[in-house]
Amino acid sequence: MQGCNRSQKIAICTVGLPARGKTYISRKLNRYFNWLGYKSRVFINGNYRREICGTECNSLFFDPHNEEAQKARSDCAKMALQDLIQFLKNGGDVGILDGTNITKERRHQIENELKSSFNGIQTLWIESICNDSKVIQNNIRLTKINNPDYCNMNSEQATIDFLNRIKMYEQIYETITDDENLSYIKTMNVGADIIVHQVFGFLLSKIVSFIMNLHTYPRPIYLSRHGESQYNVDDRVGGDSDLSQLGEMYADKLADFFYQEFPTKEIKNDIIFLTSTMRRAVHTSDVVAQKLEIQPLQLKTLDEINVGICDGMTYTEIAQKFPNDFQERKINKLGYRYPRGESYLDLISRIEPVIFEIERSRQPVMIIAHQAILRCLYAYFHQNEIPEVPTLDIPLHCVIKLTPAAYFCDEKRVLINPQTGEISIKEEYVQEFVRSKSKQKSFIDL
């Protein structure tokens, strides 16, 4: 995000048969870019088609020999491309065109249209190939039969019709070849294998690394702050204080909670357990680790935000000694950087490798860290707007259990009373496309 050419526009276009994970990859990339601070948006051809042609389109609508339907779908795809171009012209950084784009002719048209609209635009093609029938069937079951196209069909009818739709596309499918002179990534079975061709540049290289870590295996991610520290009691920022008496009680109760969550030794041995190097987090993690008989990995990357010369001060003392800084932080908490310290934007850059590690993992992940760190991680999985990050609610003595799926993220908050061990649970269900839709004026902007 820092030191790269933000004036250069990037267009990402997907290629592949239906139910191959193209929309999954597009949404993941869009979330990643926005989390990094880029202005990114996905333009889904299917949404334009539903908006213009309606949702009563069975598999015959996708027959390549159906000239009327072919023209209608082509017009919808052109609308999506034009909206992407307009988005980039209006200040967007990354536009993602989510469609099948399975013919060389279609890809050639898109490439020429983008190059004629922008001088020096970077275009990356991502082809998702899947030959695992179980993965395809699972994708259809989880995401396709519940979409608006099949609101009037039962699951069996929807599955049969969608498989017939795939057969229609297979008749004209042309995989990307080197002679098309395109920058492309081919991913097989959602990250199992990957081919990279003529991909250059800072951000495009990051895309390669990101896609290499993607998979569709569900697994829980547990986020918890350390137990209450002495600095929490004194209302001081920064520092490396140890736990208070109440914080020690929470560490014990947290260990009991995770012991119940992971009842067998086999599951315990599969856990990826991450924590920071600061005493309050290490102390909390050690109690949990001893109970579960596992070893946490301490990462400097997960240390709390560096408050620089304000370390050890209360907010009242900061307001008195550095009134200008105190006021600037109130106005722009996201971009404010403590003198000789860090900002939330710095923090997002710092913990990016942790996001890659979590995305790569197929095992349960436990992270015991600090408020600012967990705000950044939480914002990534729930697709919060960047300005929201510094105000997200990550309370003490609470476990946040996230379970990411294809297009949504389940959340369960477990509030633990450190003194009594009493547990109260709050469940939420946040769908990414619902959140996005509420923030856009038009359905086709999703």
Side-chain angles (χ1 to χ4, degrees):
M1 183 168 58
Q2 299 172 356
C4 59
N5 184 4
R6 296 295 293 270
S7 65
Q8 188 171 41
K9 307 298 182 180
I10 294 178
I12 299 172
C13 307
T14 63
V15 175
L17 295 168
R20 264 54 179 184
K22 300 183 299 300
T23 299
Y24 172 75
I25 292 170
S26 297
R27 290 184 185 277
K28 283 278 192 179
L29 285 173
N30 184 59
R31 183 175 69 182
Y32 174 59
F33 292 137
N34 282 308
W35 182 76
L36 287 176
Y38 292 94
K39 294 179 182 178
S40 173
R41 187 178 297 178
V42 183
F43 298 83
I44 304 175
N45 285 355
N47 286 346
Y48 285 78
R49 188 256 305 161
R50 294 183 192 99
E51 180 79 1
I52 305 303
C53 304
T55 59
E56 302 292 327
C57 300
N58 61 23
S59 59
L60 295 177
F61 184 80
F62 302 90
D63 187 338
H65 303 295
N66 184 340
E67 295 182 2
E68 183 178 355
Q70 180 81 350
K71 182 181 184 305
R73 290 191 293 115
S74 178
D75 290 342
C76 292
K78 289 176 182 177
M79 288 178 59
L81 178 59
Q82 289 305 313
D83 281 357
L84 180 150
I85 290 171
Q86 196 60 46
F87 167 72
L88 294 178
K89 286 183 176 180
N90 290 339
D93 298 311
V94 182
I96 304 173
L97 186 64
D98 178 13
T100 53
N101 302 316
I102 55 176
T103 66
K104 291 184 178 181
E105 180 184 5
R106 175 65 184 152
R107 294 192 287 270
H108 181 71
Q109 291 171 351
I110 294 173
E111 189 84 7
N112 286 344
E113 187 70 23
L114 289 169
K115 287 181 178 178
S116 65
S117 300
F118 297 96
N119 182 26
I121 188 171
Q122 286 186 294
T123 305
L124 176 66
W125 294 85
I126 300 177
E127 182 173 6
S128 184
I129 300 170
C130 184
N131 48 27
D132 188 329
S133 60
K134 291 183 179 179
V135 173
I136 296 170
Q137 287 283 354
N138 189 55
N139 192 10
I140 293 172
R141 180 179 59 83
L142 290 177
T143 63
K144 301 304 179 183
I145 63 176
N146 294 318
N147 76 26
D149 290 346
Y150 298 116
C151 58
N152 295 321
M153 295 187 189
N154 61 38
S155 60
E156 184 179 354
Q157 291 171 328
T159 300
I160 292 172
D161 185 82
F162 198 85
L163 289 172
N164 287 332
R165 182 190 299 191
I166 293 174
K167 292 177 181 178
M168 296 296 183
Y169 278 99
E170 286 176 335
Q171 297 177 39
I172 57 171
Y173 179 32
E174 297 174 300
T175 188
I176 297 178
T177 55
D178 293 353
D179 61 9
E180 294 180 67
N181 197 28
L182 302 175
S183 296
Y184 69 79
I185 299 170
K186 286 189 180 185
T187 175
M188 275 68 78
N189 298 320
V190 193
D193 292 293
I194 191 168
I195 297 172
V196 181
H197 180 74
Q198 292 185 359
V199 176
F200 308 103
F202 170 76
L203 190 55
L204 297 192
S205 298
K206 290 171 78 71
I207 293 171
V208 174
S209 299
F210 183 78
I211 290 179
M212 287 176 65
N213 289 289
L214 290 184
H215 61 81
T216 57
Y217 290 86
R219 78 286 189 208
I221 300 166
Y222 298 87
L223 307 178
S224 174
R225 289 173 65 180
H226 52 78
E228 180 190 71
S229 71
Q230 192 56 51
Y231 265 28
N232 290 137
V233 176
D234 299 337
D235 197 27
R236 297 184 181 277
V237 300
D240 193 18
S241 65
D242 208 338
L243 298 179
S244 68
Q245 185 177 0
L246 193 65
E248 292 178 354
M249 292 180 183
Y250 175 71
D252 290 333
K253 299 301 186 295
L254 183 64
D256 292 339
F257 168 77
F258 281 125
Y259 190 81
Q260 295 296 322
E261 282 286 290
F262 306 111
T264 67
K265 189 172 182 61
E266 290 76 16
I267 298 176
K268 291 182 178 71
N269 290 336
D270 281 341
I271 298 171
I272 295 177
F273 188 5
L274 307 177
T275 190
S276 80
T277 64
M278 309 192 87
R279 283 196 296 171
R280 53 194 184 273
V282 170
H283 189 160
T284 306
S285 299
D286 283 347
V287 175
V288 174
Q290 185 175 3
K291 182 83 172 183
L292 270 61
E293 299 181 351
I294 59 176
Q295 187 65 34
L297 176 62
Q298 297 179 16
L299 299 175
K300 188 76 175 172
T301 308
L302 291 176
D303 284 0
E304 180 60 297
I305 188 169
N306 185 347
V307 295
I309 62 175
C310 298
D311 192 68
M313 295 183 182
T314 65
Y315 285 111
T316 302
E317 290 171 343
I318 295 173
Q320 292 172 345
K321 293 184 179 181
F322 308 106
N324 292 337
D325 282 278
F326 186 79
Q327 189 62 29
E328 183 182 343
R329 182 177 180 273
K330 285 180 65 177
I331 296 171
N332 180 18
K333 194 174 179 181
L334 175 69
Y336 171 76
R337 179 180 287 119
Y338 284 97
R340 302 179 192 172
E342 291 178 303
S343 69
Y344 268 91
L345 292 177
D346 296 326
L347 211 56
I348 287 172
S349 295
R350 170 159 45 105
I351 67 170
E352 185 183 359
V354 178
I355 291 295
F356 278 52
E357 179 65 20
I358 296 173
E359 288 286 15
R360 182 194 65 79
S361 168
R362 300 184 182 188
Q363 296 83 34
V365 178
M366 289 168 43
I367 300 178
I368 296 177
H370 310 270
Q371 180 173 241
I373 290 289
L374 298 184
R375 279 173 169 167
C376 295
L377 292 174
Y378 181 92
Y380 171 80
F381 286 102
H382 269 323
Q383 202 170 343
N384 291 92
E385 299 286 349
I386 286 294
E388 297 173 354
V389 173
T391 60
L392 292 174
D393 182 30
I394 310 291
L396 283 169
H397 307 156
C398 173
V399 180
I400 301 175
K401 179 181 179 181
L402 304 175
T403 308
Y407 300 153
F408 61 88
C409 184
D410 275 322
E411 175 181 333
K412 180 168 72 173
R413 292 195 173 210
V414 181
L415 303 175
I416 301 176
N417 187 316
Q419 296 173 312
T420 66
E422 183 180 352
I423 287 178
S424 58
I425 297 176
K426 178 183 178 183
E427 296 200 43
E428 295 182 2
Y429 182 70
V430 180
Q431 290 184 299
E432 292 181 10
F433 61 85
V434 172
R435 178 189 297 276
S436 300
K437 183 177 179 181
S438 67
K439 294 183 179 180
Q440 302 295 339
K441 294 181 180 180
S442 171
F443 175 78
I444 58 177
D445 281 340
L446 291 180

